[in-house]
Amino acid sequence: MIHVEIIGFAAGTLTTVALLPQVIKAWKTKLTRDVSLLWAVALTIGVFLWLVYGVFIKSLPIIIANVFTFILAVIVLVLKMKYK
Amino acid sequence: MIHVEIIGFAAGTLTTVALLPQVIKAWKTKLTRDVSLLWAVALTIGVFLWLVYGVFIKSLPIIIANVFTFILAVIVLVLKMKYK
């Protein structure tokens, strides 16, 4: 069971951390021309629902990963709306 | 239990479908300047690990969602490498 949780945490860490270089890139360049607004919107809502799902099935990797992913997704969305 | 699965499927549908407008945008414009390469790489690997995790904990929403997300993530990654 411990090994399974490790895979879950590795998955969550990667898909969460994945957004960080996108946030940094948009923040630094102040450009989000080629970033899809629809992607950012759907991602933010979807990640929030994953969070709810994780709470229901009591999966700690899903909960923790999606808390951070949600925060980063909101930042990406704000940067996309701010810089177009 | 059925309601929980519905939330999981809704979450999976949204985070999967989310990548579609990004794929279409990159495909049409042939531009991925503001899209982070590191994001695409980490996302692809992370989604693959979510798939493995879903198989282990026998969560159908996680499995189905991440099969499609993985395919789209690979396409985004290829487009990013192709169009820079």
Side-chain angles (χ1 to χ4, degrees), chain A residues 16-73:
Chain A
T16 299
V17 166
L19 279 177
L20 210 57
Q22 184 62 69
V23 166
I24 294 169
K25 193 180 178 88
W27 188 278
K28 278 189 178 172
T29 61
K30 298 192 193 313
L31 290 170
T32 59
R33 298 160 297 184
D34 307 332
V35 176
S36 165
L37 174 64
L38 257 176
W39 162 72
V41 171
L43 179 73
T44 305
I45 301 168
V47 166
F48 179 75
L49 289 179
W50 271 127
L51 185 57
V52 175
Y53 178 69
V55 170
F56 270 115
I57 70 165
K58 298 184 179 65
S59 164
L60 211 57
I62 295 177
I63 295 168
I64 296 174
N66 284 290
V67 163
F68 287 103
T69 312
F70 179 71
I71 294 169
L72 288 171

Side-chain angles (χ1 to χ4, degrees), chain B residues 42-60:
Chain B
L43 180 73
T44 304
I45 300 168
V47 166
F48 179 76
L49 288 179
W50 272 128
L51 185 57
V52 175
Y53 178 71
V55 170
F56 271 113
I57 70 166
K58 298 184 178 67
S59 164
L60 210 58

Side-chain angles (χ1 to χ4, degrees), chain B residues 1-83:
Chain B
M1 191 61 190
I2 288 169
H3 291 88
V4 177
E5 296 294 288
I6 288 172
I7 294 171
F9 274 112
T13 303
L14 267 172
T15 49
T16 299
V17 167
L19 279 177
L20 209 58
Q22 184 62 69
V23 166
I24 294 169
K25 192 180 179 87
W27 188 278
K28 277 189 180 173
T29 61
K30 297 191 197 309
L31 289 171
T32 57
R33 301 161 295 184
D34 307 332
V35 177
S36 165
L37 174 64
L38 257 175
W39 162 72
V41 171
L43 180 73
T44 304
I45 300 168
V47 166
F48 179 76
L49 288 179
W50 272 128
L51 185 57
V52 175
Y53 178 71
V55 170
F56 271 113
I57 70 166
K58 298 184 178 67
S59 164
L60 210 58
I62 295 178
I63 295 168
I64 296 174
N66 284 289
V67 164
F68 286 103
T69 312
F70 180 70
I71 294 168
L72 289 172
V74 169
I75 297 174
V76 165
L77 183 58
V78 169
L79 290 174
K80 172 62 192 174
M81 290 191 295
K82 192 176 176 188
Y83 297 132

